[in-house]
Amino acid sequence: MKKLLILVCLFGLTNAIFAQSVQVTAQAPNVVEAGEQFQVDFTVNAEPSNFIVPEMRDFRLLYGPSTSQSSNTQIINGKMSSSVAYTYSYVFQATKAGKYLIGSAEATVGGKKYKSNSINIEVVGSGAASKQPPQGGQPSPNQATSQPEQVSEDGNVFVRVLVDKKNVYQGEYLTATVKIYSKYGISAVGNADLGDAGFFKQEVAIPQPHMERENVNGQIYGTAVLKKYILIPQRSGSLTIQPINIECNVQQPVKSRSRGIFDDFFGPSVQNVPMKLKSKPLTINVKPLPDNAPASFSGAVGKFTFDAKVDKNSLKTNEAITLKVTINGTGNIKLIDAPKVSFPSDFDTYDPKIALNTTDANGGISGSKTFEYLLIPRNPGTFKISPLVFSYFDVAANQYKTLTSSEFSFNVAKGADNQSTNIITSQSKEDVKFIGKDIRFIKINDFKLLRVNDYFFGSGLFYIIYVIVLLSFILIVWFRRRTIRQNANVAYVRNRRADKFASKRFKLAKNYLTTNQKEQFYDEVLKAVWGYLSDKANIPLAELSRDAALELLKNKGVDDDIVQKFVQLLDSCEFARYAPSVASSMQDDYNSAIELITKLQQKMK
């Protein structure tokens, strides 16, 4: 039975592997520099009996193929899923500048042949690029040229706002993308919100930002999309997208006069440099809509369909009817108003219930908007609602289009308990709510009687409350002024918040310790220690070097053994941070950091 069970499991696993569709994928950087080495990976999600790579005569093969295999099996809620991957890796060297196409690889699985995607690779000539900041070259067509962006001193880091079109109609959407460019590593990017002056703004969800390579004026940059928005201009004329300001930490290499053994083994040392970046302003030309708009047009711009229907045509008085109007399509659907409807005077009507179901993507805002009206006939008879009309401006066709529903007819019979009802047509529902408020009902519940000339003002309780309020006011004013004086003292405020900020950093480091994220753990521990010293001593973090810290601790009367522990902690964290392959105890370093901050709290009050 055990052998039979094992065979059944293996058979099920095999079927699960082969039941999935076979896919062959190719992956490589999209831009490299002439003379640079790069890797091309071909991955098959099933074991191939034969694998053929495309010809790549334009590149020099340095190494390959290197074959690796991985498998993954999951059982979730009793359902088993398995996946395998066979990867063929090659290392090439780009020889000359140009744009090249790597054809499809071919894998044979189960007697069938499958092909991968092709890859476009751009090779930039080595040394041909200008060393000036990228705004010195020819700007992209969708970039403004009136004011350059703010970049790093060496021109290796900058941010841009890119738009897919700069000439639109009022109400037509455009896509704006906030993108950062850097030749260094980027961490801790701050807020990248875009202004919305004159625009309706809708942020588009994007995956977690990751760096990709891109050629900018002959130079290779790592790029990442920070934010993406859909903008809909609300008025015509020239609208300006104001510059966006962001703060980030740039991992620049440390300049040293001599190379050490650690530079060769671990690579060059880097340091986190805080940097402020600013994009260029962008001017969008918004054209007004044509003047020949139909009377039923209320500002809808895009491509839409229109549908209107009722749930029943025959009913009795005082029964409800539902009129549902649905608009589907792509465009400024969130800003569309309800179409005008002429209801019979014998119907009670209410404001429509609006349901919005949209998705935000690069293609704009698409989905549906539904207006649901509730109608109640009060008198019997035959009634009609004229056809509903909806008009919109079609940007692709450059003209207005009008959609019309069918006419609605209702047969209303007299209800069993029907009574004659007067229909008020000259007032809105809100006005009707106030009719009759000048006549009050007789009170039948218990109520409290008050003595004549018996007032709260001037009583003993009144003066007690008056004194309490006056003293409370004086106390609040004193406490407020004391708080203002303390907050005006920057050194005092930073000293008070030092423990709080360090605690937050250690809490985040504890989370990284639990999930074994080593680089993030040591980064937070170092930020906690340096930030604590900076706040306690009221010294800017950028001016707090190791030597300055040691001198500060000695001036504060900190014991030599605590200073030694501080130096040991910095060495341990920095070495473990830049040497991930070297074994170290994260828990010991965490305990040492906590112990160090605790002792510093006692010495630096």
Side-chain angles (χ1 to χ4, degrees), residues 114-348:
Y114 301 89
K115 291 187 177 181
S116 71
N117 56 293
S118 58
I119 305 175
N120 290 299
I121 296 183
E122 180 181 4
V123 180
V124 180
S126 177
S130 172
K131 299 302 181 182
Q132 299 298 323
Q135 68 268 19
Q138 295 296 326
S140 302
N142 56 3
Q143 297 296 314
T145 57
S146 59
Q147 178 182 349
E149 60 245 325
Q150 180 177 336
V151 301
S152 58
E153 294 182 358
D154 54 4
N156 290 331
V157 186
F158 59 96
V159 65
R160 283 179 177 174
V161 178
L162 310 174
V163 294
D164 59 342
K165 43 193 172 185
K166 295 184 66 178
N167 292 282
V168 295
Y169 281 102
Q170 179 180 342
E172 180 186 358
Y173 67 84
L174 65 145
T175 303
T177 304
V178 181
K179 203 171 185 179
I180 191 169
Y181 298 75
S182 176
K183 291 188 176 181
Y184 309 125
I186 297 292
S187 64
V189 180
N191 189 19
D193 285 343
L194 194 67
D196 56 357
F199 294 93
F200 170 81
K201 181 179 70 173
Q202 178 68 48
E203 184 174 351
V204 179
I206 60 174
Q208 185 70 21
H210 63 281
M211 301 298 288
E212 295 181 352
R213 309 186 90 192
E214 186 174 324
N215 177 16
V216 181
N217 297 333
Q219 299 189 54
I220 299 177
Y221 288 84
T223 66
V225 175
L226 303 180
K227 290 288 184 71
K228 186 168 289 187
Y229 299 91
I230 292 175
L231 303 179
I232 300 178
Q234 300 299 290
R235 56 183 174 84
S236 59
S238 295
L239 299 183
T240 300
I241 300 177
Q242 296 299 325
I244 186 172
N245 297 275
I246 66 171
E247 297 181 1
C248 62
N249 288 338
V250 179
Q251 298 175 345
Q252 288 185 344
V254 178
K255 296 181 180 180
S256 58
R257 296 182 179 179
S258 60
R259 292 179 56 86
I261 184 173
F262 292 108
D263 290 335
D264 295 328
F265 187 73
F266 299 111
S269 300
V270 296
Q271 58 181 349
N272 280 330
V273 179
M275 190 173 295
K276 295 182 178 180
L277 303 175
K278 181 179 181 180
S279 68
K280 298 178 183 178
L282 291 178
T283 301
I284 307 299
N285 180 32
V286 183
K287 298 175 289 185
L289 296 174
D291 296 330
N292 58 337
S296 57
F297 177 73
S298 60
V301 179
K303 186 73 173 178
F304 303 100
T305 60
F306 174 69
D307 178 62
K309 58 184 178 181
V310 294
D311 58 344
K312 52 188 171 183
N313 300 97
S314 299
L315 68 161
K316 296 180 180 181
T317 55
N318 298 324
E319 289 183 0
I321 313 169
T322 299
L323 170 62
K324 184 179 292 186
V325 180
T326 303
I327 300 173
N328 289 279
T330 301
N332 59 346
I333 191 168
K334 292 187 175 182
L335 307 179
I336 293 177
D337 295 328
K340 294 181 180 179
V341 186
S342 298
F343 295 106
S345 59
D346 293 81
F347 282 33
D348 278 355

Side-chain angles (χ1 to χ4, degrees), residues 17 69 81 84 100 105 116 134 200 217 224 235 260 267 278 302 355 364 398 415-416 468 499-500 512 534 559 580:
I17 293 174
Q69 175 186 352
S81 61
V84 294
Y100 303 95
S116 71
F200 170 81
N217 297 333
R235 56 183 174 84
K278 181 179 181 180
N398 196 24
I468 293 175
D499 298 340
K500 180 179 179 181
Y512 290 136
S534 174
D559 298 337

Side-chain angles (χ1 to χ4, degrees), residues 32-43:
V32 296
E33 192 174 8
E36 181 183 357
Q37 299 178 12
F38 63 95
Q39 182 171 318
V40 181
D41 295 326
F42 299 95
T43 304

